[in-house]
Amino acid sequence: TAAETPAPAEEGTVAIVSPILGRYYAQSEPGAPPFVKVGDAVREDTTVALIEVMKMFTTVTAGVQGVVTEVCVANEEFVESDQVLYRVKPTP
């Protein structure tokens, strides 16, 4: 099956991608605020999501310093490895 074509990236943004395939969680637990939302500043070590596979959770960090410009997946959506989760506009 062909992968969905992602929306065109805003010029100058960096994609934060899923390191593995699994279920994407935007927050630490149901009812908790999301790790990040559009407009939030992130650093390289900022936790932005959790990916769950067979009850094992992988923490996803931003890996870049900047401002979140787009959230590309819905909470609890199943994601593929290397699927774009967020887009970030880098800041110096």
Side-chain angles (χ1 to χ4, degrees), residues 3-18:
E4 288 182 34
T5 304
E10 183 184 328
E11 189 67 31
T13 60
V14 174
I16 300 174
V17 299
S18 177

Side-chain angles (χ1 to χ4, degrees), residues 10 25 31-33 40 43 55-56 58 61-62 66 76 84 86 88:
E10 183 184 328
Y25 290 98
D40 284 358
R43 295 192 329 240
K55 305 296 180 200
M56 297 292 292
T58 298
T61 56
E76 298 186 20
V84 176
Y86 300 93
V88 175

Side-chain angles (χ1 to χ4, degrees), residues 62-82:
V64 62
Q65 179 172 306
V67 176
V68 177
T69 60
E70 185 181 358
V71 178
C72 302
V73 290
N75 189 43
E76 298 186 20
E77 188 175 318
F78 191 80
V79 296
E80 301 285 334
S81 181
D82 295 325

